[in-house]
Amino acid sequence: MVDKPQQGEILGIPYNFERPSIGRMLSSYWQPGKGMLVKKPFGIGYTLNLANWRSWIALVVVGGLLWQEQKSRSDAEEADEDEGGPVEVIVD
């Protein structure tokens, strides 16, 4: 039986299915001198390089958007609780 490769690329997208180690995990998320996206240490695709300042900006923007969504959801639930009663609609 032929062993299948544990890492490589398919259609330009990297994959790596080798057993992850702590050293490889840490070194893959912190690569000074590399771009914003680097190959994932395990799995398919790319991940953020935390040594790049643009990655931190992306994380802050995503965190802000999630916070805003949660806040608007809780505000909408409070508004629904306040309206609670029936509404009379008059049509001419």
Side-chain angles (χ1 to χ4, degrees):
M1 186 169 192
V2 177
D3 289 335
K4 294 182 180 179
Q6 296 291 315
Q7 60 182 351
E9 285 190 11
I10 295 178
L11 301 173
I13 300 173
Y15 67 90
N16 187 351
F17 294 115
E18 294 176 349
R19 175 172 272 147
S21 66
I22 297 294
R24 192 170 55 142
M25 296 287 280
L26 292 175
S27 68
S28 65
Y29 288 109
W30 190 267
Q31 296 182 16
K34 298 272 185 165
M36 182 176 152
L37 296 176
V38 293
K39 293 179 183 178
K40 287 180 99 173
F42 182 78
I44 301 171
Y46 295 94
T47 188
L48 290 176
N49 178 11
L50 297 178
N52 191 309
W53 61 273
R54 286 174 270 180
S55 298
W56 290 100
I57 291 175
L59 288 173
V60 167
V61 168
V62 168
L65 291 172
L66 288 172
W67 176 76
Q68 182 182 13
E69 180 186 9
Q70 291 288 56
K71 186 176 181 224
S72 66
R73 227 183 247 171
S74 66
D75 290 346
E77 288 174 0
E78 288 176 9
D80 288 343
E81 290 173 2
D82 292 342
E83 292 177 2
V87 177
E88 182 179 340
V89 177
I90 301 174
V91 179
D92 287 334

